[in-house]
Amino acid sequence: MPGYGDFAYYYDLLTDNVNYEELCGSLHSLLADNGVGEGILLDMACGTGTLSFLLEEKGYDVIGVDASEDMLSVAQEKKIENGSDIVFLCQKMQELDLFGTIDAAVCTLDSINHVTDEKDVRKIFEKVSLFMNDKGLFVFDVNTPYKHKTVLADNTFVYDLDTVYCVWQNTYNEKDGSTDICLDFFEQDEADKDTYYRCTEEFTERGYEIETLQGWAEEVGFEVLHIFDADTKKTLNDTSERALFVCRKHGTQLEYQSHEKEI
């Protein structure tokens, strides 16, 4: 994951189109319908914590994890304002190290795609499984290879917001299905309206085949219960842009650790 220094400042503005209330409700329904309507929940790549706080309101004891100190600084400010009990940890997902076990984990807004080394993605699944209680749930979404190739592709997007202007430029890499992304932010000076300040963030996302992700999850003790089209909540198809996985853990942490040693 990139550091997201300047991006942390603009993140909430650029994700203003995300209906976090709806996302939270959908996640809570999926978790509750599959037996986890309460307990300790891990929000992976939590960013500035917007979803974390909503999940806390649903009754979960939330742990938020993100690799960006800048993102978590914003989250901590919100925590103080909200009087929240959420614990925020600065960790890379593939280096997850918790104080105890969890009942559920969520990873949303294509955060898995931001991890471009498949070994690290497999390590993420291993870490989640290691800390997951038996019958716990892991729910995550990803941008599909179709979206990377045909939607993100080599396209440019422009966001003209009240306080910032953003130019989003993509470069698609056919060889590994990844997309290099460059974000240029232009913010108007409050005192001099003819002056703009520019900052740039660059990172890469990678599209992983759905069958490959399912296999990696199953290797570490998860049963993949459902794979939906994340936008419609219907059956995934060849033109789905985002996939939503619902996985259940089987076997205790002790059993998984023993299996790890045998390997």
Side-chain angles (χ1 to χ4, degrees):
M1 292 289 288
Y4 291 131
D6 293 315
F7 191 29
Y9 177 74
Y10 300 112
Y11 183 78
D12 285 342
L13 288 174
L14 292 179
T15 57
D16 188 56
N17 63 325
V18 177
N19 190 331
Y20 280 102
E21 294 277 359
E22 182 179 318
L23 175 59
C24 177
S26 177
L27 290 171
H28 179 55
S29 294
L30 281 172
L31 293 170
D33 289 348
N34 287 283
V36 184
E38 59 183 7
I40 301 175
L41 181 146
L42 175 68
D43 184 9
M44 304 177 68
C46 65
T48 62
T50 302
L51 179 62
S52 303
F53 295 115
L54 292 173
L55 289 167
E56 183 183 40
E57 291 177 6
K58 293 292 185 182
Y60 294 101
D61 296 317
V62 179
I63 302 170
V65 169
D66 200 279
S68 169
E69 293 182 3
D70 298 293
M71 290 284 196
L72 292 179
S73 292
V74 177
Q76 288 286 7
E77 291 177 4
K78 293 180 181 180
K79 174 181 175 178
I80 294 171
E81 293 174 1
N82 297 343
S84 168
D85 293 323
I86 294 177
V87 175
F88 288 110
L89 303 174
C90 188
Q91 296 178 358
K92 292 181 179 180
M93 294 188 289
Q94 62 268 33
E95 298 174 2
L96 184 69
D97 188 13
L98 303 178
F99 305 114
T101 58
I102 57 176
D103 300 297
V106 299
C107 187
T108 61
L109 302 182
D110 58 88
S111 295
I112 294 291
N113 297 106
H114 288 253
V115 182
T116 57
D117 188 330
E118 65 178 47
K119 293 180 181 178
D120 286 336
V121 177
R122 298 178 75 170
K123 192 66 178 178
I124 291 169
F125 290 176
E126 289 177 9
K127 288 291 188 177
V128 175
S129 179
L130 178 63
F131 290 102
M132 183 72 71
N133 287 324
D134 189 27
K135 298 184 180 179
L137 296 175
F138 179 27
V139 179
F140 66 92
D141 66 34
V142 291
N143 284 335
T144 62
Y146 169 83
K147 181 175 182 178
H148 276 265
K149 187 173 183 177
T150 64
V151 179
L152 296 178
D154 294 313
N155 292 320
T156 298
F157 306 95
V158 175
Y159 297 87
D160 189 0
L161 307 175
D162 290 339
T163 58
V164 66
Y165 185 85
C166 175
V167 180
W168 176 317
Q169 300 177 80
N170 297 327
T171 303
Y172 178 68
N173 306 301
E174 184 75 40
K175 184 177 180 180
D176 63 357
S178 65
T179 304
D180 296 324
I181 298 171
C182 177
L183 301 177
D184 284 311
F185 299 98
F186 301 86
E187 184 175 17
Q188 191 176 46
D189 187 281
E190 293 183 1
D192 182 359
K193 300 302 182 181
D194 293 327
T195 300
Y196 286 81
Y197 298 99
R198 175 184 176 180
C199 66
T200 301
E201 291 287 340
E202 296 181 342
F203 53 91
T204 300
E205 286 196 18
R206 182 177 175 183
Y208 293 99
E209 296 295 336
I210 302 304
E211 297 78 7
T212 299
L213 292 169
Q214 179 174 353
W216 291 344
E218 291 173 345
E219 284 177 3
V220 296
F222 284 108
E223 176 190 2
V224 178
L225 302 177
H226 308 286
I227 306 176
F228 298 114
D229 181 306
D231 298 315
T232 65
K233 304 302 184 293
K234 296 181 180 180
T235 303
L236 196 70
N237 59 66
D238 292 340
T239 59
S240 294
E241 296 183 15
R242 295 170 61 241
L244 179 68
F245 286 72
V246 183
C247 311
R248 174 179 286 136
K249 173 67 186 295
H250 286 297
T252 66
Q253 286 71 35
L254 180 60
E255 289 173 343
Y256 177 64
Q257 288 174 338
S258 298
H259 175 66
E260 227 179 13
K261 292 177 181 178
E262 289 174 3
I263 293 176

